[in-house]
């Protein structure tokens, strides 16, 4: 797919990411890669929690500037001017409607009179009560929330500020979104997550060699390349493996959860089915995914999952792997007829579908090849760049 950048000038675009040590930075990298494909200058700026590393290293060259903050962003006010001073792009691109990205970007927009694009790739309030949540403290609680060192109002991404940021979305010059759920809620231009299908190219990798390298050769490999959380449905896959009860089935979790001890909880109950692999740099992930027989994306029906575009889908699609996923949010539309769909919260359907896949893996792999074609056409970095080309042209 040929990408045609607009010949306005050598534009510089400053992407403001709310976090560099968490998974939220991945969307920033995808947008940056697509913009670089259009020959724009790109920089990414954001906060990095002290003692932590950037969540994942991008597989392309991009300027990154980070400012250290503590765990709860308690020094946010003193750290923010360092970001504001450094932002010098012709366009400001805020990722996520948070104070730590969109809030700072709004201030810079007013100071510099430069256009501001907002990207929304999650419904941030979906984990925290959604529209029903209200902040109604008594005077004593309000004082604690403001004055105590760990007071919730000292955290710029507390849900009170998230609700405020949502009300300010219209002050951006353009909005990009990665799911239809978010588009229905906030409007904006549909910009689904793209995959680097040149890097994630199955012709460059030998699945048997990958399985051998990571000591997986003797197993039927189901892979979850991401951070498990309860609403992501990994437990449903593990319960399905209990039903199948064949020792050669294994669920490989790549990276694990950086948020809490949920991995340990899974291991305590289902350790016999789980193989854990560590985090890998982005350029190593295609080799890891190549080792899978099936990619599993078993999202449960939850406000957070309805709003998400799971990157694991395009991990599998781009590498021509059979993808087993649940009918939640945009997943059926993303996969089309190239994957295997089950109802959410259904270990029985997962078990039946896995057995169907492995009964005729050749048919499943053919479906994976169709998924690869669909990914290249609709969910590649080139596809993102084509959408962004028009967005940038409109705001200039």
């Amino acid at each position: 797919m040929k990408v045609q950048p607009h010949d306005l000038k050598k534009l510089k675009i400053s992407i403001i990411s709310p976090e560099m040590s968490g998974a939220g930075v991945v969307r920033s990298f995808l947008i940056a890669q697509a913009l670089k494909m259009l020959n724009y200058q790109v920089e990414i700026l954001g906060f990095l929690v002290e003692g932590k590393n950037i969540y994942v290293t991008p597989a392309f060259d991009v300027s990154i500037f980070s400012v250290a903050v503590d765990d709860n962003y308690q020094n946010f006010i003193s750290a923010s001017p360092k970001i504001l001073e450094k932002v010098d792009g012709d366009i400001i691109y805020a990722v996520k409607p948070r104070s730590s990205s969109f809030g700072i970007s709004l201030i810079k927009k007013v100071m510099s009179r430069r256009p501001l694009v907002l990207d929304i790739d999650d419904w941030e309030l979906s984990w925290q009560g959604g529209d029903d949540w209200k902040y109604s403290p008594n005077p004593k609680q309000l004082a604690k929330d403001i004055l105590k060192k760990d007071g919730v109002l000292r955290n710029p991404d507390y849900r009170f500020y998230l609700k405020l940021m949502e009300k300010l979305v219209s002050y951006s010059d353009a909005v990009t979104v990665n799911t239809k759920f978010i588009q229905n809620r906030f409007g904006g231009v549909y910009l689904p997550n793209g995959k680097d299908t040149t890097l994630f190219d199955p012709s460059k990798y030998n699945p048997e060699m990958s399985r051998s390298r990571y000591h997986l050769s003797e197993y039927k490999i189901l892979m979850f390349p991401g951070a498990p959380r309860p609403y992501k449905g990994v437990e449903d896959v593990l319960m399905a493996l209990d039903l199948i009860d064949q020792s050669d089935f294994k669920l490989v979790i790549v990276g694990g959860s950086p948020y809490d001890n949920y991995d340990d909880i899974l291991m305590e109950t289902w350790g016999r089915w789980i193989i854990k692999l560590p985090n890998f740099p982005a350029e190593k992930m295609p080799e890891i995914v190549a080792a899978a027989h099936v990619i599993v994306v078993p999202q449960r029906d939850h406000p957070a999952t309805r709003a998400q575009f799971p990157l694991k889908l395009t991990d599998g699609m781009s590498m021509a792997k059979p993808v087993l996923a649940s009918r939640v949010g945009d997943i059926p539309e993303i996969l089309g007829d190239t994957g295997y769909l089950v109802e959410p919260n259904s270990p029985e359907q997962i078990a039946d579908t896995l057995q169907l896949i492995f009964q005729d893996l050749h048919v499943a792999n053919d479906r994976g090849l169709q998924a690869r074609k669909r990914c290249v056409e609709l969910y590649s970095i080139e596809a993102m760049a084509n959408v962004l080309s028009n967005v940038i042209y409109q705001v200039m």
Side-chain angles (χ1 to χ4, degrees):
M1 186 182 299
K2 190 173 182 181
V3 176
Q4 293 289 345
H6 291 292
D7 189 21
L8 297 173
K9 60 176 180 175
K10 189 68 172 179
L11 284 173
K12 182 174 183 180
I13 301 174
S14 297
I15 298 174
I16 315 298
S17 181
E19 56 178 348
M20 305 294 271
S21 51
V25 77
V26 174
R27 178 72 170 176
S28 301
F29 288 152
L30 292 176
I31 291 171
Q33 189 173 5
L35 290 170
K36 284 180 70 71
M37 188 171 286
L38 294 165
N39 294 322
Y40 297 135
Q41 298 180 69
V42 181
E43 63 178 359
I44 300 176
L45 308 96
F47 297 100
L48 182 64
V49 174
E50 292 174 346
K52 294 189 177 182
N53 298 318
I54 293 177
Y55 180 75
V56 64
T57 305
F60 62 97
D61 184 42
V62 64
S63 173
I64 297 175
F65 175 79
S66 63
V67 174
V69 289
D70 59 28
D71 279 334
N72 293 316
Y73 283 49
Q74 297 295 306
N75 59 331
F76 170 73
I77 292 177
S78 61
S80 296
K82 299 175 185 177
I83 297 284
L84 287 167
E85 181 182 2
K86 190 73 174 178
V87 174
D88 63 354
D90 301 290
I91 295 173
I92 308 160
Y93 206 139
V95 175
K96 296 184 178 294
R98 297 186 189 175
S99 300
S100 53
S101 53
F102 185 42
I104 287 178
S105 298
L106 284 169
I107 294 171
K108 190 67 180 184
K109 170 184 166 71
V110 172
M111 293 170 56
S112 65
R113 299 186 180 277
R114 292 170 188 163
L116 166 61
V117 182
L118 170 64
D119 183 74
I120 308 176
D121 71 333
D122 269 320
W123 183 28
E124 299 294 316
L125 282 168
S126 63
W127 300 285
Q128 306 186 57
D131 292 322
D132 295 330
W133 181 85
K134 290 180 174 58
Y135 182 64
S136 304
N138 58 43
K140 183 178 180 180
Q141 185 62 50
L142 177 62
K144 287 182 178 180
D145 290 347
I146 294 173
L147 299 175
K148 288 187 66 176
K149 184 178 180 181
D150 60 349
V152 293
L153 289 178
R154 296 171 69 99
N155 185 328
D157 293 328
Y158 180 56
R159 64 190 79 179
F160 173 80
Y161 302 118
L162 292 177
K163 292 200 88 164
L164 174 61
M165 289 296 103
E166 285 191 1
K167 294 176 181 178
L168 298 178
V169 166
S170 62
Y171 286 90
S172 57
D173 295 280
V175 175
T176 55
V177 298
N178 77 334
T179 67
K180 297 299 177 62
F181 176 97
I182 297 174
Q183 189 177 46
N184 290 336
R185 186 175 181 86
F186 296 105
V189 177
Y190 182 52
L191 181 69
N193 286 322
K195 185 66 63 179
D196 185 342
T197 53
T198 300
L199 176 65
F200 281 76
D201 181 350
S203 68
K204 298 177 180 178
Y205 304 93
N206 183 308
E208 291 298 335
M209 289 182 63
S210 288
R211 283 191 277 273
S212 175
R213 183 168 292 123
Y214 297 100
H215 310 290
L216 305 172
S217 296
E218 58 189 291
Y219 304 118
K220 295 173 181 175
I221 299 299
L222 320 178
M223 186 173 287
F224 183 87
R229 305 194 85 168
Y231 59 81
K232 293 186 179 181
V234 171
E235 292 180 34
D236 295 327
V237 175
L238 294 167
M239 285 187 279
L241 293 183
D242 281 340
L243 293 172
I244 295 172
D245 197 23
Q246 294 180 19
S247 60
D248 58 342
F249 277 80
K250 298 294 179 183
L251 175 64
V252 174
I253 297 175
V254 184
S257 175
Y259 309 107
D260 48 37
N261 67 339
Y262 186 55
D263 289 358
D264 297 332
I265 294 172
L266 294 177
M267 288 296 295
E268 286 176 11
T269 306
W270 291 288
R272 66 177 179 140
W273 302 125
I274 298 173
I275 295 175
K276 293 180 65 175
L277 294 180
N279 265 324
F280 290 91
E283 64 271 15
K284 289 288 292 182
M285 282 305 297
E287 179 186 61
I288 306 300
V289 177
H293 290 104
V294 180
I295 298 295
V296 290
V297 190
Q299 306 275 72
R300 289 179 170 175
D301 190 12
H302 181 277
T305 58
R306 291 176 217 142
Q308 286 184 334
F309 184 120
L311 287 166
K312 295 170 286 298
L313 285 176
T314 51
D315 284 344
M317 293 171 73
S318 61
M319 291 297 290
K321 296 295 180 181
V323 176
L324 190 161
S326 51
R327 292 185 179 91
V328 173
D330 284 5
I331 289 176
E333 181 177 343
I334 295 165
L335 281 176
D337 58 359
T338 70
Y340 293 84
L341 291 170
V342 298
E343 295 304 316
N345 304 76
S346 181
E348 296 82 4
Q349 286 190 25
I350 293 173
D352 290 344
T353 305
L354 286 173
Q355 290 176 312
L356 174 67
I357 289 171
F358 283 101
Q359 282 171 8
D360 197 337
L361 200 54
H362 178 74
V363 170
N365 288 334
D366 283 345
R367 193 174 291 193
L369 290 172
Q370 296 304 311
R372 160 80 182 176
K373 293 177 182 178
R374 183 173 178 83
C375 187
V376 170
E377 179 183 358
L378 299 176
Y379 305 111
S380 61
I381 293 293
E382 289 85 353
M384 284 189 81
N386 281 327
V387 175
L388 284 171
S389 180
N390 291 325
V391 172
I392 300 302
Y393 181 77
Q394 290 169 9
V395 300
M396 291 302 294

